[in-house]
């Protein structure tokens, strides 16, 4: 499902190309929640399309992306949120809010197959975490199991691998489906696309 932020903005009567009011963000988020309330599938991907938006500030990033992500993740349904066409001059605001709220989110860049994680670090310092290494592996491989991650990263410790993969899934940064193979029942983890 693709949701145009520009279309919602016009329906709400918001003038101009920039979004810079928390009140507007609250109204846009309400509209998005109303649109997604009756999705039939439990595994839908919601693309927030910012095409046509000149810029937005941290209040909009907070309400429309981060708090929406937090609310959708808390539901029982497996909904995934990916933002796309984010103005370059608004990425800093999104990084600040993800760091403050401690809620990572997915952003799709033009001409890329898979989204990347935005999870700003304080004072501009970026650290490479095990979560990001695993995420990058899944994006490259296209799919993997906890056993594969355990063999690659954790010296065959499948419990630790499963914990990291579960955390990424619960944050709705990756998808999973249950499979049966020679090792028994297990999850197959895949990118959100």
């Amino acid at each position: 499902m693709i949701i145009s932020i520009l279309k919602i903005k016009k329906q709400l009567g918001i003038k101009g190309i920039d979004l810079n009011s928390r009140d507007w963000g609250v109204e846009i988020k309400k509209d998005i929640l109303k649109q997604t309330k009756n999705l039939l599938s439990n595994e839908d991907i919601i693309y927030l399309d910012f095409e046509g938006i000149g810029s937005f500030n941290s209040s909009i990033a907070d309400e429309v992306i981060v708090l929406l992500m937090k609310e959708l993740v808390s539901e029982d349904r497996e909904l995934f949120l990916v933002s796309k066409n984010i103005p370059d001059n608004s990425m800093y605001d999104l990084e600040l809010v993800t760091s403050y709220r401690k809620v990572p989110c997915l952003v799709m860049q033009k001409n890329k197959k898979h989204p990347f994680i935005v999870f700003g670090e304080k004072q501009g310092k970026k650290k490479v975490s095990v979560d990001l290494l695993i995420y990058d592996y899944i994006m490259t491989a296209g799919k993997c199991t906890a056993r594969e991650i355990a063999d690659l990263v954790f010296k065959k410790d499948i419990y630790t691998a499963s914990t990291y993969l579960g955390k990424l899934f619960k944050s709705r940064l990756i998808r999973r489906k249950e499979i049966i193979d020679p090792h028994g029942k297990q999850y197959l983890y895949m990118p959100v696309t």
Side-chain angles (χ1 to χ4, degrees):
M1 167 181 228
I2 299 174
I3 296 177
S4 169
I5 302 303
L6 182 62
K7 184 177 177 184
I8 294 172
K9 182 176 99 39
K10 287 179 180 179
Q11 288 171 346
L12 294 173
I14 301 169
K15 305 289 184 208
I17 63 169
D18 299 327
L19 291 171
N20 55 16
S21 163
R22 184 165 296 275
D23 293 338
W24 293 346
V26 168
E27 292 305 312
I28 291 169
K29 183 173 75 172
K30 282 181 191 175
D31 190 280
I32 294 167
L33 288 170
K34 188 170 37 172
Q35 288 185 50
T36 61
K37 184 177 183 179
N38 296 320
L39 290 176
L40 297 176
S41 172
N42 281 342
E43 297 183 20
D44 279 325
I45 301 173
I46 300 163
Y47 291 94
L48 296 181
D49 188 358
F50 286 85
E51 184 73 37
I53 302 296
S55 68
F56 57 81
N57 65 7
S58 57
S59 293
I60 297 296
D62 193 28
E63 289 292 339
V64 178
I65 300 173
V66 177
L67 291 177
L68 179 64
M69 178 76 174
K70 196 173 181 178
E71 193 163 330
L72 291 175
V73 166
S74 69
E75 293 182 3
D76 292 335
R77 300 183 301 163
E78 292 179 15
L79 294 174
F80 301 87
L81 184 69
V82 178
S83 299
K84 64 183 206 171
N85 297 317
I86 291 183
D88 291 338
N89 57 356
S90 299
M91 283 301 295
Y92 178 75
D93 293 294
L94 181 57
E95 289 174 358
L96 284 175
V97 175
T98 59
S99 178
Y100 174 75
R101 295 277 186 194
K102 296 179 178 32
V103 175
C105 62
L106 295 173
V107 173
M108 182 68 83
Q109 287 179 312
K110 290 181 181 178
N111 304 321
K112 296 291 182 182
K113 185 177 178 181
H114 302 295
F116 68 96
I117 297 174
V118 173
F119 192 44
E121 296 294 331
K122 291 188 172 150
Q123 300 160 347
K125 294 180 183 174
K126 301 280 182 188
K127 64 179 182 179
V128 177
S129 68
V130 175
D131 292 342
L132 289 177
L133 290 173
I134 293 171
Y135 180 84
D136 287 342
Y137 178 78
I138 293 169
M139 295 307 108
T140 303
K143 59 185 175 183
C144 72
T145 63
R147 188 170 311 285
E148 291 169 319
I149 295 295
D151 291 346
L152 288 170
V153 181
F154 299 107
K155 299 179 183 173
K156 304 194 185 281
D157 180 0
I158 195 163
Y159 300 107
T160 303
S162 294
T163 299
Y164 276 98
L165 289 163
K167 181 178 156 189
L168 287 169
F169 173 74
K170 286 178 185 167
S171 296
R172 299 300 189 261
L173 300 174
I174 57 174
R175 298 178 84 155
R176 74 178 183 193
K177 72 176 181 177
E178 192 173 79
I179 61 170
I180 299 174
D181 67 7
H183 298 288
K185 278 187 183 181
Q186 62 180 329
Y187 286 115
L188 183 64
Y189 294 90
M190 300 155 290
V192 175
T193 52

